[in-house]
Amino acid sequence: MIRAEQITKTYRTKRGDIQALSQVDFQVSPGEFVIVKGPSGSGKTTLLFALGGMLRPSNGAVKLDEHDLYSLTRAQRARVRADRIGFVFQMFHLTPYLTVLENVMLPLGASKCGATREDAIDLLNRVGLDHRLDHRPAELSAGECQRAAIARAFLRKPSVILADEPTGNLDPDNAKLIMSHLNEYAQQGGAVVLVTHGETGEEYAHRIAIIRDGRLEIARS
Amino acid sequence: MNIIRLILKEIAHRKMNFLLGALAAAAAVTLFTAFFTSSQASQRETIRLMRDMGYNLRIIHKNADMSEYWSKGYTDLTLPQETAELFTKEKDLMFTHILATLKKPVEWNGKRIILVGISTEVSPEGKKKPSMIFSIKPGTAYAGYTLAQEMGVSRGDTIELGGKPLKIENTLQEEGSESDIFLYVDLSDAQAILNLPGQVNEIKALDCYCQIPGVDPLDMMRQQVAAAYPDVKLFQISSIAKARMDQRHMLEMYFAWIMPIIAVACGVWIAAMVMINARERREEIGVLRALGYGSGKIAGLFLGKAILIGLIGACAGFALGTIMALRIGPAMFPETAKSIQTDWATLRWALILTPAFAAVSSFIPTMLAVSQDPAETLRPE
């Protein structure tokens, strides 16, 4: 349902061009949990942002249900992200001046998807943060921050969750908890793409792709 | 969560940034308010000071010998008294405070003094202004300081000059000029004493500082006078005119340069605050983008904050500026202190212009914030 077709991304720098992605074909379907592995600088995050409509490829197309994301206007692409795509980041990126509950509800400011405050509280219950609703991110542990970020990504029930090293800053117990939440999301019909440089979550993955120097290979399907 | 709530939450979180921005806006409004509130007093004070410098134009007979005029201080050639009245009927005349005088030396008790007859000051239609000189009733006189000292006259005395009794209405303070030996009388009395009925030998006036770009005002006045009254000529006491012009220029330059500089400095300050704020919030902007917030909503976060900075700055600045003007103004402009009052119109304008100005100042940093690449800011280190 989300598909990258022959995408290439070249960063132009003063020290010369950097080829981050090279003719990458990739797709993920509903209910599928795909892990993209690769060392730092291999192009994992670039691929994730390109899939999420946040980074225009130099060549190729990214299609969500056959609609080319990058033929849309910026505003239309923002709308697609609001309605269809959820992000989870390694650094959590919670808004520091909002409470946990307000952070989870933040996506509702971008699109009215029918989700409510009660849905946000319910999600926070499910990730074990019901006692932290009114806390600020600075008052949470790293694991709690990432669980809040997961709840934020899940709130609008997006078609696809794009997770960038979501367990990179977590201890093994919290990492396992996050992976189980992502796995549960995939089991409920959502698509999950997770990029990582480690071994995290391989037991949940339907497919594992390896990315090296911007080229993608299937390691396990 | 709506944009306004987000703005308020962010302000509460980054209080110092908001306070510094509001301080810039308040500083600009304080200075504007203080200047504008006291500007009426300042203008009146300036006009008063300029007026006190005296008449800077002279109109005399066209054939008057200027060497003789300057050496004697008057000309023997006279003009009809009505000439001064006729000037008041001219349209677009570039001078006001028109005063017809008759000035000649006379003998009094064996001493040579200067008799100056003055009429009531007149001005062109629509340009009526308070007289710059005291008015003298017929049958009375004002004695210059030295004259009064040397002749031993004081207020209330009655003297006789040319067979005409004159009551000394007042003796004048020392001026340190030739006027210290003047005896001022009503024009009709001077005409009678000098046996020059209906005649004057000098008309004094004050130019109106009506500047027209590319036109020399003196040339213009000369043309005006020559066209209507070919028998007269006009000249300017340039030291007085220059002092007036310098004073006016100084005030105008003050408002024309200082205030825009203050406004620009405060605008740059606000823009810098927004820029710093936008840099601090790069990740937040990236997340909002990732969550599907459009450019308009993200720009709204920054512009909304700038508008709030402007509104608070306008209120605080107006209050501070008004207090400053009411406290300090009377000491600076003691003669016209009464005209310093709370100017509510300034508040209205401040409430409109300051938020608009703050929004304009923060426009570039806002656009930079909106256009920054979210993939770059959200990329893990």
Side-chain angles (χ1 to χ4, degrees), chain B residues 320-373:
Chain B
L320 284 172
T322 302
I323 290 168
M324 266 174 72
L326 295 177
R327 290 265 169 96
I328 302 169
M332 291 171 73
F333 311 110
E335 302 293 332
T336 51
K338 279 185 183 169
S339 57
I340 304 173
Q341 288 172 348
T342 304
D343 185 4
W344 296 108
T346 303
L347 176 62
R348 276 200 300 276
W349 282 110
L351 286 172
I352 295 167
L353 295 179
T354 317
F357 182 70
V360 168
S361 299
S362 57
F363 182 76
I364 292 174
T366 299
M367 287 303 109
L368 290 173
V370 165
S371 61
Q372 67 192 16
D373 182 0

Side-chain angles (χ1 to χ4, degrees), chain B residues 249-268:
Chain B
H249 267 305
M250 192 181 73
L251 199 69
E252 283 172 6
M253 290 284 278
Y254 194 65
F255 279 95
W257 286 99
I258 302 291
M259 299 313 281
I261 286 170
I262 291 168
V264 168
C266 292
V268 170

Side-chain angles (χ1 to χ4, degrees), chain B residues 6-21:
Chain B
L6 275 175
I7 292 170
L8 295 176
K9 287 246 170 196
E10 196 274 332
I11 288 170
H13 183 68
R14 296 190 181 94
K15 294 179 192 75
M16 193 49 72
N17 180 281
F18 181 78
L19 284 175
L20 287 173

Side-chain angles (χ1 to χ4, degrees), chain B residues 206-222:
Chain B
L206 186 70
D207 66 25
C208 70
Y209 196 73
C210 330
Q211 282 203 323
I212 303 163
V215 175
D216 178 357
L218 184 57
D219 276 351
M220 188 81 174
M221 285 185 287
R222 279 176 169 155

Side-chain angles (χ1 to χ4, degrees), chain B residues 81-98:
Chain B
Q81 183 183 339
E82 302 82 61
T83 310
E85 286 293 332
L86 291 172
F87 281 132
T88 64
K89 294 178 175 57
E90 287 292 323
K91 284 187 177 172
D92 304 322
L93 199 65
M94 293 175 71
F95 51 86
T96 56
H97 293 285
I98 301 162

Side-chain angles (χ1 to χ4, degrees), chain B residues 22-142:
Chain B
L23 190 65
V29 177
T30 298
L31 292 171
F32 273 114
T33 305
F35 281 125
F36 279 113
T37 303
S38 53
S39 67
Q40 213 170 15
S42 159
Q43 269 179 342
R44 285 186 183 181
E45 195 91 1
T46 304
I47 288 166
R48 208 179 61 82
L49 287 170
M50 289 190 303
R51 192 197 63 196
D52 290 350
M53 290 176 194
Y55 303 93
N56 63 5
L57 296 175
R58 302 286 186 270
I59 297 161
I60 57 174
H61 196 283
K62 190 177 89 173
N63 297 327
D65 181 334
M66 292 309 290
S67 305
E68 187 186 81
Y69 174 85
W70 287 120
S71 61
K72 286 166 45 179
Y74 64 92
T75 173
D76 287 320
L77 297 178
T78 58
L79 300 163
Q81 183 183 339
E82 302 82 61
T83 310
E85 286 293 332
L86 291 172
F87 281 132
T88 64
K89 294 178 175 57
E90 287 292 323
K91 284 187 177 172
D92 304 322
L93 199 65
M94 293 175 71
F95 51 86
T96 56
H97 293 285
I98 301 162
L99 183 77
T101 68
L102 180 60
K103 180 180 175 188
K104 287 215 169 196
V106 291
E107 287 282 330
W108 178 35
N109 291 345
K111 195 159 185 84
R112 190 175 182 268
I113 63 161
I114 306 291
L115 180 69
V116 182
I118 59 172
S119 65
T120 303
E121 194 187 276
V122 291
S123 286
E125 286 294 325
K127 291 184 180 173
K128 291 256 185 277
K129 301 203 170 160
S131 178
M132 285 167 57
I133 195 166
F134 45 82
S135 64
I136 302 175
K137 290 179 202 155
T140 65
Y142 281 64

